[in-house]
Amino acid sequence: MNLIEKAIQIKNQALEALKKVVVPSSLEDFYNQYLAKKGEIPGLMTHMKEAEDKAAYGQTVNATRNEVLDAYMSKKAEMESAKLNAKLKSEVLDITLPGTEEEIGSLNPYWMVIREVEDIFLSMGYEVVKGRDVETDHYNFELLNVPKDHPSRDMQDTFYFSPELLLRTQTSASQAHKMCEMTEKKPIRMISPGKAYRRDDDDMTHSHQFAQIEGLVVDRNISIANLKGTLELFAKKMFGEKREIRLRSSYFPFTEPSVEVDVSCFNCGGKGCAMCKGTGYIEILGAGMVNPKVLEMCGYDPKEWSGFAFGVGVERVAMLRYCIDDIRRIYQNDLRFLKDFK
Amino acid sequence: MKISYKWLQQHVDLTGLTPEDIANKMTFAGAEVESIGRMASGTNLVIGKVLSCVNHPDSDHLHVLQVDEGPVHGVHQIVCGAPNAREGLKVIVARTGAKLPEVEIKPSVIRGVESDGMCCSLLELGVDRKYLSDKQVAGIEELPEDAPVGEENVLGYLGLDDVSLDISVLPNRPDLYAYENVAKEVACICERPLIEEEMREIPVKPSHFRVGSLSAKCPIFTARLITGVKTKPSPTWLSRILENAGIRSINNIVDIGNYVMLLTGQPLNMYDADKLPVRELIVRDDLEMDYVAMDGNSYKIIDGDLVVTSGGQPMCLAGIMTADACKVDERTSNIVVESAYFAGASIRHTSNRIGLSSDSALRFCKGINPHQNEYVQKLTSMLLTDLADAETVGETVVYDVYPHEEKVIKTSLSYINGRLGTSFTKAEVISALTRDHMGIAESGDELIVHVPAYRIDMEGEADVTEEVIRVLGYDNVKSIMPTVTLDLTGLTREQKLENAITTHLRERGLTGVITYTLVSKKETEKFAYLNVAAPYVLTNPMTVEREAVRTNLAHSLLSCASYNAAHQNKDGAIYEVSDIDAPGVASRHLCAVMFGERTYVGDTVRRPYGFYDGKGLLTSIMNILGVQPGRYSLSPWSLGKEEFHPYRSCEIRMGKKLIGVLGEIHPNACKEYMLKNAVVLELDLAALLEIRTSPIKASVPLKYPAVTRDLAFVLLRSVSYEEVKRELLRADALIKGVSVFDIYEGEKVAEGCKSMAVTITMYDPTRTLRDEEIVASTEKAIKALQIKFGAEIRQ
């Protein structure tokens, strides 16, 4: 057997031995036996001077080493990957268990409706103005064209602290505030969400405390057509692109003309159902052109300025939209009820 | 207000229209028809005559009748339980197949006897119980002897084939409390002609009766003395009209008064002339005395109440109720008819004060037409003559200081189109207003509108505009977005911050709630620490539970927690942001309440909410607000706060100002709210939002490495982390940071002590620290803790 044949024999032995390796320690033994500095394959080089054809022998030894080393490396990688897989397998989790983070909190539908209406009007360029619950007779009534002894005070049973101080019966009071506070009379586009109070017994549909969102636009040449355009856009954003609105003549002391605004039923699409009582429309808000007397009392000359105003009942919208059967649920804050409103 | 459709048909040509059509049109024009009611209903009805009536062989109260239902239907056998069933009686028969409001008639066998149809009472036809006598309710209806047998239009024969429209009258249209004005409105809205009636004038005799008013609240008072009237039942047509309006027929005199009020909107009052002390009626408002009204009750009259007097004695609480002393009864033959104008506000005050209302009081309160008293008197006289056999009619005696001026409004086509956003032609506008019974004159571009007297609501151009669009219909208005000049809008800084905070709280698992502003007076004292002031208290609360404006949110939220804990939610975290108003206080608070246990990973990890959960919220809220930790301080209570755990709560101050309270609530408070535990954080959000913060300035990351060392030591429980931290930072200039990473109190350390472990961070921004500097610095830190707190360092 010449040296080259010897080298090939060692290579074959090594490759055969590698196949039998199954545990990391024997892989290490294998390495030490064949590939380490003093292993059998580097040892072949010591026979170089005995070789007849040195170049051929050198090539053979190198090839042998490379082949065995490659085989060893891939065996090693294979074993490491098997080991890692075994470890990962041992780390198996029950992915159906809950996550570490707590659930996020809910938001009372009352606030959800206010947020949504605010967003719609903010994107139309309105500002959000906050009024206060405790209000004077002057702002709640007088400036809104409801003088003392006005018949429409019968419509609103008011909570009083004194003859001049009361809990506001409508968010419209913030209209008067805004107009009066404009030292320089400029156009106004505002909404004002807030609480209002009336001496109603609490039942399924009445609440002594409730919320409204007041809207007011004052500018030169504002018309009912502008009111209709604005509220139609609002209805589409709030209740769906297919919604239509219709106006019915009505009465509010602070607007003239006054209208009730109906939105085509978002439950049945206008065909008539239990929600709209078969009419295809749902009464959603009251509105009108700001009464010239109100403009005048608040410092806007009705010959130069005109405006429209509207008021949305927050709970009514929430109840219709989320199918809430009883207004008291909103104020009860039962967490089992609120949990759905994320 | 209910109105008979039949009456309406007699006054407006409604051919081809149904009550539903009219209801729909009226509703869009601002006179909403809330419901359409039928007086009675029933199909397959016929008038029959009882030919024979024998007792049922197998019953002690049933009868077996042979009923003649006329030539078309023949004779049928009917088993009937009515006690008044008898031979010869004319009856209403509901034939087999008839549909009545409550029942459908089918052929049946009653205790072995065949029965084909049913004899009815009016109650069974749906007539309201209140219009029926006890006799009518107990048995079947007894028709007059001349009732036509075989007549199928039974409801028509009875005058019950009518429906009533129930109109919701808005405060600006009190004129619609008068049928005559409703007819005008319907004629206008439905574009149908009115059917005018000529009124028969009754000749009048001179009168010595005197009237007057000593009060400005009664500018008009008219009266007529009418003699020889006879009280008797009203004719059916009159009873039916009243019943359709919801008013029970009493007798002809009373009914005429109500009928005239329904027609004209003008309340009448009638006095028994012979019971008046003197032949005069004077209105005053300066009496103070007890008053017995015709309902038999005694009421107190006070200064300011309008009273109609005769010889100084009160004869009528004006517009509300006649005195018992002069009321009209069956024996009355001479009457005084009053038609007057009383100021609505005055009537309302009196009516509200004594808790007595009536149809007339309602009309005065809403406002009546002051220009029609003579017409009303004439109409009443005619009816009293026709229906109550009045012998003589005295002329109208009048007190009238009312300025009877015609109302004229000047406007223009351009104003109307401008406010409506429409492009109506002048002809369209004039035609609409004319239909609406307005008189129109033109002067150049101006439209001069003459308002009819009954439209007391019309005041200016805006009202005319409303009339135009009400009549022409809102469908003529297009949708046009307003054109605006662009301007900076959007939420204010404060609104944005508030939204950011509440959004954060929800992300932290807290739920946003809304609770009531009104609480009991006692409740305003609970948890009242911030913005302390006496609360606003209502002068007219509905209940003591809701008589004052809350002074804080903690109590409301704890009550909400309490409700939830009692309803299967013993763990929860809630917050609310709300204005807080009190005399001298107009603030806005944010409050969070956490109760029960906080859970992680489902329910696998649970621990009770505690002080540090609240403090964690406070820290993140301050982060959002951009308030640096050094700008506010937490300190133990400076005052006794019995609702909080004395050692697990604190006040939060900025400088000297109290801006919040934080803590676990006292076990006694827990008991009161029926909670196991709860943490409260209430902040004066308005004050916090006012804080100006400096803009963010970026810091440069350290160039040289910072070095950290951990120190663990045992010291007295009373020493706070804050004190430790301050001491460590002071110990050496290289120590730039301290953070705690472990706290232990328990068996392994001596009683009254705790073990604390902190990491100190050292660096010099100009160079890398050398080992010996680090050692020296750490030594200084240890020494400082030993000297200052007697801390025992654990190696």
Side-chain angles (χ1 to χ4, degrees), chain B residues 604-621:
Chain B
T604 58
V605 184
R606 303 181 66 93
R607 71 171 176 73
Y609 279 108
F611 177 87
Y612 296 112
D613 292 300
K615 189 172 174 187
L617 287 187
L618 173 69
T619 310
S620 58
I621 290 169

Side-chain angles (χ1 to χ4, degrees), chain A residues 105-106 108 111 115 128 132 149 154 158 160 195 197 199 209 224-226 228 256 258 293 302 333 335, chain B residues 28 348 419 459 466 477 480 495 502 506 510-514 516-517 539-540 564 578 581 587 598:
Chain A
S106 306
N108 192 303
W111 296 114
R115 280 264 173 120
V128 178
R132 294 205 78 84
D149 298 327
D154 287 354
T158 312
Y160 281 98
K195 297 166 190 167
Y197 307 82
R199 296 183 78 253
Q209 175 179 332
I224 283 264
N226 297 150
K228 197 172 179 180
E256 184 79 34
S258 303
K293 287 197 243 175
N333 298 296
L335 292 172
Chain B
F28 276 88
R348 186 167 59 241
R419 289 295 179 267
E459 287 176 336
E466 178 164 58
V477 178
I480 303 168
Q495 288 168 340
T502 54
R506 281 198 303 289
L510 281 84
T511 287
V513 301
I514 170 79
Y516 292 130
T517 303
T539 54
N540 60 341
N564 274 293
S578 171
D581 289 293
S587 189
R598 186 169 182 173

Side-chain angles (χ1 to χ4, degrees), chain B residues 34-50:
Chain B
E34 290 187 318
S35 62
I36 298 175
R38 261 165 222 289
M39 292 188 82
S41 65
T43 60
N44 269 20
L45 300 177
V46 67
I47 294 177
K49 181 179 180 180
V50 180

Side-chain angles (χ1 to χ4, degrees), chain B residues 295-497:
Chain B
D295 64 1
N297 294 325
S298 179
Y299 299 95
K300 209 155 205 80
I301 296 175
I302 62 167
D303 191 27
D305 290 337
L306 276 175
V307 181
V308 184
T309 64
S310 182
Q313 291 304 304
M315 293 296 119
C316 182
L317 194 50
I320 300 173
M321 199 175 274
T322 318
D324 197 46
C326 61
K327 71 175 178 199
V328 172
D329 57 29
E330 310 80 55
R331 291 184 300 277
T332 300
S333 73
N334 303 324
I335 59 174
V336 175
V337 177
E338 162 209 298
S339 171
Y341 182 89
F342 303 120
S346 173
I347 302 298
R348 186 167 59 241
H349 285 154
T350 304
S351 166
N352 286 347
R353 197 192 78 242
I354 64 175
L356 194 59
S357 190
S358 61
D359 284 328
S360 38
L362 169 92
R363 282 169 173 78
F364 279 119
C365 293
K366 302 288 180 189
I368 59 165
N369 174 3
H371 312 291
Q372 60 171 354
N373 293 288
E374 182 59 20
Y375 162 68
V376 168
Q377 287 289 6
K378 283 180 179 168
L379 178 64
T380 312
S381 298
M382 183 189 85
L383 290 164
L384 284 170
T385 305
D386 290 353
L387 305 178
D389 312 325
E391 284 163 12
T392 66
V393 173
E395 64 183 354
T396 313
V397 287
V398 178
Y399 167 84
D400 191 345
V401 295
Y402 193 92
H404 292 276
E405 283 164 10
E406 192 196 15
K407 222 181 293 174
V408 176
I409 299 169
K410 288 180 182 164
T411 183
S412 64
L413 183 66
S414 61
Y415 176 90
I416 291 169
N417 274 328
R419 289 295 179 267
L420 295 174
T422 50
S423 44
F424 291 128
T425 64
K426 200 175 224 178
E428 283 174 310
V429 167
I430 291 175
S431 141
L433 290 172
T434 309
R435 248 165 69 198
D436 199 21
H437 314 283
M438 309 273 158
I440 308 290
E442 288 182 64
S443 162
D445 284 342
E446 240 179 21
L447 287 174
I448 299 160
V449 182
H450 295 262
V451 180
Y454 63 91
R455 289 301 302 271
I456 56 173
D457 61 304
M458 300 273 297
E459 287 176 336
E461 288 181 281
D463 301 282
V464 176
T465 311
E466 178 164 58
E467 289 308 303
V468 170
I469 197 61
R470 209 170 66 74
V471 172
L472 293 177
Y474 277 97
D475 290 343
N476 287 302
V477 178
K478 293 196 187 79
S479 296
I480 303 168
M481 284 301 281
T483 48
V484 297
T485 326
L486 290 180
D487 202 352
L488 191 60
T489 52
L491 293 177
T492 62
R493 170 189 169 272
E494 289 76 15
Q495 288 168 340
K496 281 184 200 157
L497 281 172

Side-chain angles (χ1 to χ4, degrees), chain B residues 90-223:
Chain B
K90 297 272 180 78
V91 295
I92 304 165
V93 178
R95 303 182 58 247
T96 292
K99 287 196 177 101
L100 304 186
E102 305 273 316
V103 65
E104 191 174 336
I105 308 299
K106 291 179 185 139
S108 59
V109 177
I110 300 171
R111 294 201 195 173
V113 178
E114 282 182 26
S115 181
D116 183 14
M118 182 176 93
C119 297
C120 308
S121 68
L122 293 185
L123 196 64
E124 283 160 327
L125 296 181
V127 175
D128 195 312
R129 170 78 178 81
K130 76 174 176 178
Y131 305 125
L132 302 175
S133 66
D134 290 345
K135 188 181 162 217
Q136 281 177 302
V137 172
I140 52 176
E141 185 65 12
E142 301 190 6
L143 300 179
E145 280 177 27
D146 61 359
V149 171
E151 172 63 59
E152 293 183 332
N153 182 9
V154 179
L155 296 178
Y157 170 77
L158 293 166
L160 292 172
D161 55 341
D162 200 358
V163 299
S164 65
L165 305 182
D166 191 355
I167 300 173
S168 157
V169 178
L170 292 169
N172 65 327
R173 291 300 305 276
D175 58 292
L176 294 181
Y177 282 108
Y179 283 10
E180 294 177 343
N181 297 333
V182 173
K184 287 177 185 154
E185 178 78 7
V186 170
C188 166
I189 299 303
C190 300
E191 296 186 69
R192 291 303 177 92
L194 273 173
I195 302 167
E196 307 274 1
E197 275 185 337
E198 283 274 311
M199 188 170 62
R200 192 161 53 84
E201 289 256 0
I202 303 294
V204 294
K205 298 218 158 91
S207 176
H208 299 297
F209 201 84
R210 291 193 307 121
V211 295
S213 168
L214 304 175
S215 168
K217 291 179 287 190
C218 171
I220 307 172
F221 194 96
T222 73

